[in-house]
Amino acid sequence: VPKLNGNVTILVDCSGSMSSRINGKTTLTCIQAASMMAAILKKANPNANVIRFDDHAYSVRIDPELSIMQSML
């Protein structure tokens, strides 16, 4: 996972279409996969901003009591 230089913002699509399953062989949804990728990038880039969006954009505050993925959902 790359450590990115400069100001980093991770954007995660949380719109309704992202609630569909990735394929017919798994129960994993697109939003779960996107959240996992955001969590991986955030761990490698702790100063990165995380924004989730649907019709609006929301800054994600990472709660230290929760996993990054739990904070995303």
Side-chain angles (χ1 to χ4, degrees):
V1 177
K3 173 96 173 120
L4 304 171
N5 295 324
N7 295 326
V8 175
T9 299
I10 302 164
L11 300 168
V12 181
D13 183 351
C14 296
S15 63
S17 63
M18 294 292 283
S19 65
S20 61
R21 292 187 303 165
I22 289 178
N23 62 39
K25 297 179 181 181
T26 181
T27 59
L28 184 69
T29 64
C30 296
I31 185 59
Q32 289 170 326
S35 295
M36 283 187 278
M37 181 53 104
I40 291 166
L41 284 169
K42 177 69 174 171
K43 184 166 180 130
N45 299 278
N47 292 326
N49 297 310
V50 180
I51 306 290
R52 62 186 300 269
F53 67 93
D54 46 30
D55 292 339
H56 297 86
Y58 310 92
S59 181
V60 176
R61 185 183 75 79
I62 306 300
D63 185 333
E65 299 297 316
L66 299 175
S67 70
I68 294 173
M69 188 166 162
Q70 288 172 315
S71 295
M72 291 296 303
L73 301 174

